[in-house]
Amino acid sequence: MCAKSWKHSRHGTIGGRRARPRPLLAVEIVKNRTTKQPFNTMRDKVEGKPLLVDQITGKMMAQGVSIQAWVSHFVIAPPLIVTKEELDIGIAALDEHLGIADALVEG
């Protein structure tokens, strides 16, 4: 999957994405796209509850893709020397593992 062709609309759990300043990208995951209800809150993090973003991050890191998770969103900041192939691998891994969040909403 090409970085340019990735569409967040295929995942109903993506509440938003921000790409300013480039190359930084933030992707928020939510239970409900309309209300923006998050899967987890800061309170969950403070209380030590397992966070969905950490589960997704763990799966991605097991595939060799590094991504930063924070409560209910991911921060994607590739190095300036990243190749197109490396971006495609990272996007494919994110696309695959966002299915975890999608399944929680559908199920």
Side-chain angles (χ1 to χ4, degrees):
M1 173 178 305
C2 174
K4 287 185 176 183
S5 69
W6 187 70
K7 301 289 184 201
H8 77 285
S9 61
R10 70 186 291 155
H11 296 284
T13 53
I14 294 182
R17 60 186 176 143
R18 294 159 213 60
R20 298 277 188 262
R22 285 197 170 104
L24 183 70
L25 174 67
V27 177
E28 175 186 33
I29 60 169
V30 296
K31 287 182 183 177
N32 182 308
R33 190 181 280 180
T34 304
T35 65
K36 304 288 190 192
Q37 178 188 8
F39 279 97
N40 296 107
T41 64
M42 180 60 86
R43 175 171 284 246
D44 294 335
K45 183 171 180 66
V46 170
E47 292 175 355
K49 294 181 181 175
L51 304 180
L52 181 60
V53 291
D54 292 339
Q55 182 182 358
I56 293 169
T57 298
K59 299 273 188 188
M60 291 180 66
M61 292 187 88
Q63 288 184 289
V65 177
S66 179
I67 188 169
Q68 182 180 2
W70 183 252
V71 183
S72 64
H73 65 274
F74 301 100
V75 176
I76 304 165
L80 296 176
I81 59 170
V82 69
T83 66
K84 179 189 174 306
E85 291 77 22
E86 291 168 330
L87 284 174
D88 289 344
I89 290 168
I91 289 168
L94 180 60
D95 190 45
E96 174 186 352
H97 297 301
L98 281 173
I100 297 167
D102 294 339
L104 290 174
V105 171
E106 294 168 3

